[in-house]
Every structure is written in structure tokens, then in C-alpha cells.
Amino acid sequence: MSASNNSSMVQTIHARPEIGLKKFDIHHQETEFEFKEYMAVKAKRVHEALEEAVPLRHPLKIHESMRYSLLAGGKRVRPILCIAACELVGGDETVALPLACATEMIHTMSLIHDDLPCMDNDDLRRGKPTNHKAFGEDVAVLAGDALLSLAFEHIAARTIDVPQDRVVRAIAELGSAVGSEGLVGGQIVDIASEGQWVDFSVLEYIHLHKTAKLLEASVVCGAIVGGGQVSDVERLRKYARCIGLLFQVVDDILDVTKSTQELGKTAGKDLVSSKATYPKLMGLDKAREFAEELGEQAIDELKCFDAAKAAPLHCFANYIAHRQN
Ligand code: FPP
Ligand code: MG
């Protein structure tokens, strides 16, 4: 999808910016859903499961470092998406929880490595000193490696009451999302593009791989272990790709509109580092319009599902479009 042809695919479902009790309309059905409460409950479950998955044990230093970043209080977007997709296709939360935790472990490790001096050289993440600032570069690299390895071990060892073929499909999906044609691919093109003029197709490649792939895999894996039919899984893939791209477009907008304190990470650094971003390529107003369109397009992919069951994913699209940090 590109910014230029995107508007033709946009439907006229109007996202509301406020988070909390929402009324929305799919198939002319009015439904009410407490999104804020849903997020809080799921985030708490995920946090407890992560805490249990990485106990403080020997060797102490590495587990301290892993826990420092993993339990630093991120928004838990990927794990909650994973659980919501599983529940949408009729699966139980417990079935998706190990996978959900794995997506957060991978996300956290990618941020630890992204912040390293050899990458973005950042000092602040989730309102705290970055992992290498707190533990040193050597420990931070290893903490990232250990989290990546643990993510796959955790899925294989902890996913219970799910047919094995579904677990294997989910592992393959997640593995491809983080590798050289996924997150790593997006990051390498991002690094190579720094200081260069890039067009929309390169920028879209970076965002779709660096950010959207893991969000997509979180949703798709949740739907797979929840027992979703192939057609539903693929529809949810399209939904997730839109919100994945949306997530990064909003990230680019926040970088130039919010303060370091509001973001909990260094603001304005895309400008300083001469990174390509949507606001730079299309201007702030057009980037905002594009974000709005992506949110609406994502919601459109949910039309064929039961409105009440799709409520969490529907609200998620609004939440990502209008998040403030
Ligand atoms: C943040 O982007 C970084 C990412 C979304 C992913 C970075 C990926 C890697 C470092 C590869 C990790 C390795 C594996 C094996 C998954 P940003 O710098 O634009 O955003 P920020 O402002 O939050 O730092
Ligand atoms: Mg960075």
C-alpha cells in the first residue's frame, strides 16, 4: 500500500479520538465497549506472566538486565493484540498468553539493541536510562540475545492445549517476522538510509518491516493458536499491517510534536539524525491524514466479524491512531 493510492481504499467509518467507553458502528450495530478497562486487565495479566517467565536467578546480572527492560511498563500493545485476535476467533486467553509474552520479549530485545551506541545511541527508554546505560553495552547485547531465545523457548514449552501444527505455524510466522526479511531487514534498510534521500517505497519498506511485521505476527499468531480459519487469519493480517504502519506513522508524528518528558524517550531525534519520516516526506498535516486513513482502513478489515467480538481490535485501531506517547 502506498500513501498515494491509499485514500481510494478508505471507508467512511469515523474513528473517535477519545479512549475509554466507546460507541461504534459496524454493520449499523451500536455496541459499547470499555476499552480502557480491557487494556488495563490484559496488561496486568501480561505483566504478571512476564514477571514469572523471567525470575531473578543465577546469573543475577543478566536476569536483572532482562527484567529491567521487560518489566519497565511498556504499553503491551503486541501481547494484547495477540490475545484479542485469539479471542476474536473463539480461542481462550490462556491459549495465547505464552505467545503474547513472546511478542513482548522480542519487542523489548529489539528496543534494547536499537538503543545501543552502534545503532541509535539513545539514553532514555520508557522513561528510564536505556539498558546499556544502566548495565553496560556487553550486558545489554546479551540481555537482548537471551530475550530473543527465551521468546521461542517460552512458546514451545508453555503453549498447552493447542494442536501442535498450530504452534509450529505460529513459531514459523514469528521467526520470519523478526529475521532478515522482517524486523532485522527493516532496521538494516533504516540504518543504510540515514542521511540519504529516500522515496515513499523505501520509507514504507522500513516501517512495514521494522514495526509492522511484529504487530502483524502478534495478531496472526493469536488467530492461529485460537483456531481461526485461514480466511479470517488473512483478513486479520491485513488489519494488522494497517495498524502496524499506522503505529510507525504516529511514532514519526509524535517525535516532532511531543516533548521528551511526554514520550518517555528522546523527542526530536529523527530530525537530528536525518532519518526519513512521514512528516518529513509529506508534511505534518498530510502525515496526520494518512494516519487517519490507515486507521479507517484497518477497521474496514474487521467488518466481516461479529461487531461485539471485534470491539477490542476496533478500539485498538483508534487507540493507536490517537495515542499521545
Ligand atoms: C525502534 O525504531 C526500533 C525498532 C522498531 C526495531 C529495531 C530492530 C532491531 C534493532 C533488530 C533487532 C533484532 C532482532 C533479532 C529482532 P525507532 O528507532 O524508529 O524508534 P524509537 O524512537 O522508539 O527508538
Ligand atoms: Mg531508535
Side-chain angles (χ1 to χ4, degrees), residues 236-288:
L236 288 172
R237 184 189 296 284
K238 285 189 196 157
Y239 158 87
R241 203 167 286 167
C242 287
I243 61 162
L245 192 50
L246 170 64
F247 193 93
Q248 191 62 47
V249 176
V250 172
D251 218 58
D252 286 355
I253 294 171
L254 294 176
D255 185 75
V256 288
T257 55
K258 297 285 175 188
S259 68
T260 296
Q261 204 187 2
E262 285 168 311
L263 295 181
K265 61 181 186 179
T266 318
K269 59 181 189 283
D270 291 342
L271 279 176
V272 176
S273 67
S274 66
K275 258 194 190 182
T277 67
Y278 276 92
K280 264 188 222 169
L281 246 65
M282 61 194 333
L284 195 52
D285 288 346
K286 281 267 180 293
R288 283 192 171 120

Side-chain angles (χ1 to χ4, degrees), residues 175-189 205 209:
S176 104
V178 302
S180 56
E181 290 178 294
L183 258 82
V184 170
Q187 182 77 349
I188 196 107
V189 176
Y205 180 93
H209 289 78

Side-chain angles (χ1 to χ4, degrees), residues 109-110 114 120 125 148 184 187 210 265 269 275:
M109 75 74 52
S110 77
D114 179 68
D120 283 358
R125 174 70 68 183
L148 181 60
V184 170
Q187 182 77 349
K210 197 178 75 169
K265 61 181 186 179
K269 59 181 189 283
K275 258 194 190 182

Side-chain angles (χ1 to χ4, degrees), residues 85 121 199 264 305 320:
N121 193 17
D199 61 15
F305 294 100
I320 290 175

Side-chain angles (χ1 to χ4, degrees), residues 1 182-183 186 202-214 216 241-242 244-245 248 278:
M1 131 194 31
L183 258 82
V202 176
L203 185 61
E204 195 174 273
Y205 180 93
I206 293 169
H207 286 355
L208 280 175
H209 289 78
K210 197 178 75 169
T211 306
K213 278 277 182 185
L214 186 55
E216 181 184 319
R241 203 167 286 167
C242 287
L245 192 50
Q248 191 62 47
Y278 276 92

